[in-house]
Amino acid sequence: MALFGALFLALLAGAHAEFPGCKIRVTSKALELVKQEGLRFLEQELETITIPDLRGKEGHFYYNISEVKVTELQLTSSELDFQPQQELMLQITNASLGLRFRRQLLYWFFYDGGYINASAEGVSIRTGLELSRDPAGRMKVSNVSCQASVSRMHAAFGGTFKKVYDFLSTFITSGMRFLLNQQICPVLYHVGTVLLNALLDTVPVRSSVDELVGIDYSLMKDPVASTSNLDMDFRGAFFPLTERNWSLPNRAVEPQLQEEERMVYVAFSEFFFDSAMESYFRAGALQLSLVGDKVPHDLDMLLRATYFGSIVLLSPAVIDSPLKLELRVLAPPRCTIKPSGTTISVTASVTIALVPPDKPEVQLSSMTMDARLSAKMALRGKALRTQLDLRRFRIYSNHSALESLALIPLQAPLKTMLQIGVMPMLNERTWRGVQIPLPEGINFVREVVTNHAGFLTIGADLHFAKGLREVIEKNRPADVGVSTAPPPSTAAV
């Protein structure tokens, strides 16, 4: 009985589980590009290391090492890898730093001072970034692990007390190596928890698409990393701005990502597009009214001829009134994605009326229109764009089959009117696109769209349109200092 109850609860939980409308997979092929851009930024951050003064006494010698600055950093060997379950691991080996500092030495009454160059060699760094979902549904660096070590240091001492410095060099450089070790991990901790999170804050989570609808890109769970990729599940749902708490139930199939040949893959289910169309429907955007001169001249003449019998029975004051053609979508359009292509089905009412000035309009006819549009998707920059084309079109009467036969002559002119007058307006909007959840400064290039049963995938490569430092500096938090919080793992000495 207990087993039956547990099984029932598991099935109930599964029935209420919501599938993502959008998935993104970043593959290991993207890591080389990310590493190149990231190392340039990391080099600049490590060059800002502040090393405390080193002062002390050895017998009758008093020494003070101050104004230590990193002048050069060479990261000769590095690897960036995904680590299950949620980590991104960076390993740097055999790196070197160039240093410059001020020396001061007092021996009895003799004083020596000046600046000197030094080098730290065999620098090794191993740092891991743990990625997770925060309460707002945004991806964050939630933890940073770090180990760092400097295997050896060398300083070319000179001046009056060169032999004395040579005697003390092992002691002084060992102290500097210890201090340098202690400064590397706090810098990396600050880069991960503050600066990289500022970059991730540029990813849209719940934002406006236009003046009518918004989109929810909140993460549904923590990112999942394997040895070859990082997978992220986003809700991928549109909503009317006037009904921010409204949500369309997701009954579409779950999109699947299997490929790993490109840098990144994005998958969209039918739910993603259905929620967009239903949001615009609820916002009252899926209707069009053409009056007077807005109705194409040839169509105006044809409509008046078609309904001549009804028009001549009207009063003379109404006969010459402007014609009105109104299209109103009756139900939210639905998207169907198949390997052969993507189609959108629309059912709308078509109302034809005369609109006399300062009088109620006079309806001549009301009919139903069924249309099927083909949709082609593309990624440009970081926007998903759609090109629509009217493929199938049918009108019929709401009243009788006989009237439907009488509407056959209107079929071709109305379809032409839709193709010439309505489709360009739709495509002007859909081609603006909707932003994909990527950080600022990163775009898609060389995309390939593949249709599947119930979802489509887009494989692409990544391109840094802006440098990582440029984006982070633009979005850097007000507190620009290195985090005072201790790093998760202290530096190795």
Side-chain angles (χ1 to χ4, degrees), residues 393-468:
F393 174 83
R394 182 174 72 97
I395 55 174
Y396 56 91
S397 172
N398 299 326
H399 306 295
S400 68
L402 185 62
E403 188 175 350
S404 294
L405 290 174
L407 294 175
I408 291 177
L410 293 177
Q411 193 117 319
L414 281 175
K415 183 177 181 180
T416 301
M417 186 272 295
L418 289 174
Q419 289 174 325
I420 296 175
V422 178
M423 296 307 297
M425 289 189 295
L426 285 177
N427 281 320
E428 190 276 331
R429 173 61 197 89
T430 60
W431 197 247
R432 290 183 217 161
V434 58
Q435 185 177 343
I436 304 303
L438 276 184
E440 182 180 341
I442 302 177
N443 291 335
F444 293 106
V445 293
R446 296 182 290 276
E447 76 283 351
V448 176
V449 181
T450 305
N451 277 42
H452 305 271
F455 65 96
L456 60 86
T457 61
I458 304 177
D461 292 329
L462 295 176
H463 168 69
F464 277 91
K466 296 180 182 179
L468 193 58

Side-chain angles (χ1 to χ4, degrees), residues 16-275:
H16 287 84
E18 183 178 2
F19 291 139
C22 171
K23 285 187 174 184
I24 294 183
R25 164 172 289 182
V26 180
T27 71
S28 56
K29 288 181 170 56
L31 292 184
E32 185 61 33
L33 176 68
V34 173
K35 185 182 75 172
Q36 293 173 6
E37 189 67 27
L39 286 179
R40 280 195 290 268
F41 175 75
L42 188 59
E43 286 179 0
Q44 295 168 335
E45 288 298 310
L46 287 174
E47 287 175 358
T48 65
I49 286 177
T50 301
I51 300 176
D53 295 350
L54 180 66
R55 57 173 59 91
K57 174 185 177 183
E58 186 71 17
H60 296 292
F61 294 96
Y62 294 85
Y63 58 87
N64 183 29
I65 303 298
S66 60
E67 302 177 26
V68 182
K69 294 183 179 179
V70 177
T71 59
E72 183 183 9
L73 178 62
Q74 293 184 349
L75 306 179
T76 54
S77 178
S78 61
E79 293 183 3
L80 183 63
D81 301 294
F82 293 120
Q83 296 284 332
Q85 291 287 324
Q86 298 161 232
E87 273 204 345
L88 193 61
M89 183 65 67
L90 174 65
Q91 297 187 72
I92 299 172
T93 57
N94 203 30
S96 62
L97 292 94
L99 302 169
R100 181 174 175 80
F101 59 86
R102 183 185 181 192
R103 71 182 191 275
Q104 294 172 293
L105 179 69
L106 181 65
Y107 177 66
W108 292 101
F109 300 106
F110 299 96
Y111 171 81
D112 182 57
Y115 287 88
I116 193 169
N117 295 323
S119 62
E121 299 173 350
V123 179
S124 296
I125 301 172
R126 178 183 173 88
T127 184
L129 304 179
E130 184 177 335
L131 305 174
S132 64
R133 172 190 181 276
D134 74 1
R138 188 184 300 277
M139 184 167 71
K140 288 288 188 181
V141 176
S142 56
N143 196 15
V144 178
S145 61
C146 178
Q147 289 183 330
S149 64
V150 179
S151 62
R152 57 192 177 275
M153 285 197 66
H154 173 72
F157 290 104
T160 306
F161 294 98
K162 180 179 183 300
K163 292 185 178 181
V164 175
Y165 279 124
D166 287 341
F167 171 73
L168 295 174
S169 63
T170 302
F171 178 78
I172 293 176
T173 54
S174 295
M176 289 186 61
R177 183 166 65 92
F178 174 80
L179 293 175
L180 185 59
N181 281 337
Q182 301 304 306
Q183 298 305 310
I184 293 176
C185 280
V187 170
L188 295 177
Y189 186 77
H190 179 73
V191 168
T193 58
V194 178
L195 301 185
L196 287 185
N197 277 333
L199 176 67
L200 293 175
D201 283 342
T202 65
V203 178
V205 173
R206 192 173 174 89
S207 58
S208 299
V209 175
D210 53 27
E211 70 280 2
L212 296 175
V213 306
I215 188 166
D216 183 354
Y217 274 131
S218 56
L219 275 172
M220 301 182 70
K221 61 181 181 180
D222 290 339
V224 178
S226 68
T227 55
S228 58
N229 55 64
L230 178 72
D231 287 338
M232 294 162 283
D233 291 356
F234 298 91
R235 185 155 192 277
F238 292 77
F239 57 89
L241 293 180
T242 56
E243 301 178 80
R244 290 182 175 270
N245 295 324
W246 173 83
S247 177
L248 177 69
N250 185 354
R251 298 185 178 91
V253 300
E254 182 178 7
Q256 302 295 322
L257 289 172
Q258 306 294 338
E259 302 90 344
E260 295 182 355
E261 289 75 24
R262 307 297 290 273
M263 291 185 182
V264 64
Y265 288 88
V266 188
F268 302 97
S269 73
E270 291 173 345
F271 166 79
F272 180 87
F273 302 102
D274 285 347
S275 70

Side-chain angles (χ1 to χ4, degrees), residues 475-486:
N475 298 280
R476 182 186 286 264
D479 180 16
V480 297
V482 175
S483 174
T484 57

